[in-house]
Amino acid sequence: MKPNRPSIIAVALAAFPLINAITPEGMLAAPRRSVALANPSGDFAIYTKTNYSFDHHEATTVWEQLNLRSGDFSTWTSDSNISEVVFVGSSNSSILYINATNEAGDGGISLYTADATRLSSAKLVASLPAPFSGLKAVTTKSGDIHFLVYAPAYPNGTAYNADSAETPASTARIYTDIYVRHWDTYLTPQRNAVFGGVLTRRNGNSSSGSYALEGPLKNYVTGKCNATCAESPVGPMGGSGDYDISPDGSQVIFLTKNIDLPLANFTSSQVYWAPFSGSVNDSIPINPIGATPGAEGASANPTFSKDGSKIAYFQMNGIYYESDRNIIYVANADPKNLNVTSIAGDWDRSPDVLAWSNDGTVLYVAAPDLGRERVFPVPVNAAADYKPANITDEGVPAGMQVLTNGEVLVSDSKIWSSRDIYTVNSVGHVTNVYLQANLVDPALAGLGPEDVSEFYFSSNSTEIKLQSWIVYPANFSADKTYPLAFLVHGGPQGGFYNSWSTRWNYKVWADQGYVVIAPNPTASSGWGQNLTDAVSSHWGDYPYWDLVYAWDYVNSTLPYVDTSRGISAGASFGGYMNNWFQGHEMGRRFKALVTHDGVTNSLADYATEELWFINHDEGGIFTSPNETSTYYRWNPILYYENWATPHFVVHNDLDYRLPVSEGIMLFNMLQVKGVPSKFLNFPDENHWVLDRENSRVWHREIFKWINYYSGLSGASSPF
């Protein structure tokens, strides 16, 4: 929908009545849209849309097509087996796509070519015997297609397929090195690897279409080993953004954790270059430690320029620190003359998304900035002191793509909208607004920017003012009062941003009848690296004080917020902070607390998997627990004698970041002390609750608890 087509918006609004409130079920069942992918000429874009039915307990996915000229939408295909699409081939509508199954039904996938305007033209060109994903592809001068995919691989380099793997007689796992498990998975000898393949163009017709797979796939990663072995993408969060193929199909780049260092102790990772026609033995690091002064930490987003002559990527300096500032680097795509240089190196923001301009003179990057994630154009020749100016304002981009006309196609979300799709030009003028989910999705109807505001407040921990979001309930009136829902974000490095969430959705909480206050205290990202860094060794004081000051501001300044009926909730670090509240004066200011997967006993921090995180945030490795140690000083159980506030505890079995024993310990201690408490556990969830049915229960049980203690429900019991 374009700004010059207001009638479409009016029709959308008239199609259903404005809702009074968004419910957990409405939010969880509402459409979830992927990032819009435009075809090469910028005529149209496609994306997936997934709805969920609680009546049938199933999700339904369709692909939608957006006409970028007219703004019209249509269903592209309802074939949910099409899992990934790349525009590649002889025309602007030629595609290569992954079918999530293959004809053999052996756990592998199939590749098809087609014309996006005539899917009935699809031709099977390859069946691959493993669950490959992360498709990237380009057309070479000869007309062949070079493509990349990834899958777990055995140490011998062949792709791993769980469906066909031999089942061992014993389930024993034996480890001789740190890093037994990560996120929600025990590590195995199989590691992710990037594979390359060639689809040779054929003349005339054949049973396999106009292309045929030429020979076996090449593995560029497996076998590069020292202290550890290379893996790309880097688990558990890595994906196709960890590698790229040059536009002419001749080169490959990928990143992997530093093979010379123990995985659990360091964040260092490097970007490798390899010829597409080569193998793992031909790959070389672009940014080995020592080659670029100061750059020793985690790398991210290696991306070729559109002419293939340059490579851009991010890298942090800190070798133990996952939340250090990302610095933008550009290198020549020439292993004999890499000439790695930083651009805008002093910029006090940490970008995490990038896209090249068409002419290769500008990088568009997205970075957290003042409670949003904004898009900034940065010239590739920018000096260290260059200060980028944002061209987007509200929202957090899920992805962006530079179109042939130079405009940027942005897919983002906001507190009031699960997906907006629009184009913006290089000077920040929004040229087309195609989609605003809150204007087309019935479950989101009536949501808008008027539901949200913000304030800044002072604290004793920092000289800068700190920000907090305010999210209002449906039918809000400043002449009325509403109980406080005080949310604490995780990380601790990170933040509450103007974005949609299906896990901690501020508006869903507000529409229970609360005014939601979501502060960004010390540790938050987007207000300069100093604020982010300051939480190290200070979990129990700086952010705690900030949150006290935020509460004080609300109590003294916002007459429509009833702090005497307030509740507090948080996950991860936010869960830790609610445990810390429980033992301190702040805990007495709330009627109820909620801890989701938080630290209870910091002396047990080494039960986690990423030791680099604990070593950094606790100010050093764990030695002896004494009063000078932060492991001891900021331990919530030191203040057990003060625990008194009713407390809801969530902890999941597959959370290896913070093991479930932390939640069980918290619940046991609350029960023994006689503090009203309830424990919710999901055996199949990790640090997050992702399954919609589980999330429905999560919301129902937590809201039952807090609504009782805040007086909203009028129930006779929280149980």
Side-chain angles (χ1 to χ4, degrees), residues 82-404:
I82 298 178
S83 59
E84 300 181 33
V85 179
V86 174
F87 284 99
V88 63
S90 58
S91 76
N92 286 320
S93 55
S94 297
I95 60 171
L96 176 69
Y97 68 82
I98 289 180
N99 196 75
T101 60
N102 62 17
E103 292 182 346
D106 60 0
I109 57 110
S110 299
L111 293 178
Y112 285 80
T113 57
D115 188 301
T117 63
R118 293 182 296 108
L119 275 179
S120 60
S121 67
K123 297 177 181 179
L124 175 66
V125 294
S127 290
L128 305 180
F132 291 99
S133 60
L135 179 65
K136 292 191 172 185
V138 297
T139 304
T140 66
K141 287 183 179 180
S142 67
D144 295 343
I145 293 175
H146 287 188
F147 69 90
L148 300 178
V149 287
Y150 78 89
Y154 290 103
N156 67 6
T158 59
Y160 171 76
N161 185 339
D163 286 4
S164 58
E166 182 179 346
T167 302
S170 169
T171 59
R173 293 184 286 233
I174 300 174
Y175 299 87
T176 58
D177 296 300
I178 284 177
Y179 224 37
V180 168
R181 58 188 190 177
H182 195 196
W183 190 246
D184 58 7
T185 305
Y186 276 82
L187 298 192
T188 68
Q190 295 83 41
R191 305 287 177 88
N192 285 337
V194 180
F195 292 79
V198 176
L199 296 174
T200 303
R201 186 174 180 83
R202 287 183 170 181
N203 295 321
N205 295 320
S206 71
S207 60
S208 60
S210 58
Y211 293 88
L213 182 64
E214 180 184 292
L217 303 188
K218 292 179 178 291
N219 183 328
Y220 301 103
V221 178
T222 305
K224 187 170 284 293
C225 302
N226 189 11
T228 187
C229 291
E231 178 181 27
S232 186
V234 177
M237 306 301 180
S240 59
D242 283 1
Y243 57 87
D244 201 11
I245 184 170
S246 63
D248 66 357
S250 67
Q251 304 173 76
V252 174
I253 49 177
F254 63 88
L255 68 82
T256 177
K257 289 289 292 289
N258 192 319
I259 63 172
D260 300 321
L261 298 171
L263 287 172
N265 304 80
F266 300 90
T267 58
S268 179
S269 62
Q270 278 70 51
V271 178
Y272 279 77
W273 174 95
F276 180 85
S277 60
S279 68
V280 63
N281 297 323
D282 300 306
S283 62
I284 63 169
I286 291 174
N287 55 338
I289 288 180
T292 306
E296 298 184 339
S299 305
N301 297 87
T303 308
F304 281 105
S305 61
K306 295 195 175 185
D307 67 358
S309 66
K310 301 286 186 182
I311 298 165
Y313 63 93
F314 303 129
Q315 189 170 14
M316 300 177 183
N317 284 341
I319 199 169
Y320 309 98
Y321 186 21
E322 67 181 14
S323 298
D324 204 356
R325 181 169 62 93
N326 268 331
I327 298 173
I328 309 167
Y329 288 94
V330 173
N332 292 330
D334 178 359
K336 296 180 180 178
N337 180 31
L338 291 167
N339 190 29
V340 177
T341 58
S342 65
I343 64 173
D346 296 337
W347 184 33
D348 200 13
R349 291 295 182 266
S350 187
D352 51 23
V353 180
L354 69 82
W356 282 92
S357 66
N358 292 320
D359 63 5
T361 63
V362 173
L363 279 169
Y364 290 92
V365 301
D369 184 52
L370 307 181
R372 293 88 174 156
E373 178 143 345
R374 291 167 166 151
V375 176
F376 300 81
V378 184
V380 295
N381 60 357
D385 61 355
Y386 181 81
K387 297 188 186 310
N390 58 294
I391 60 171
T392 65
D393 189 15
E394 298 298 345
V396 173
M400 58 185 178
Q401 179 182 356
V402 179
L403 303 178
T404 54

Side-chain angles (χ1 to χ4, degrees), residues 3 391-393 407 422-425 427-434:
I391 60 171
T392 65
D393 189 15
E407 295 178 355
Y422 61 94
T423 51
V424 61
N425 65 20
V427 295
H429 176 64
V430 175
T431 53
N432 292 283
V433 177
Y434 295 107

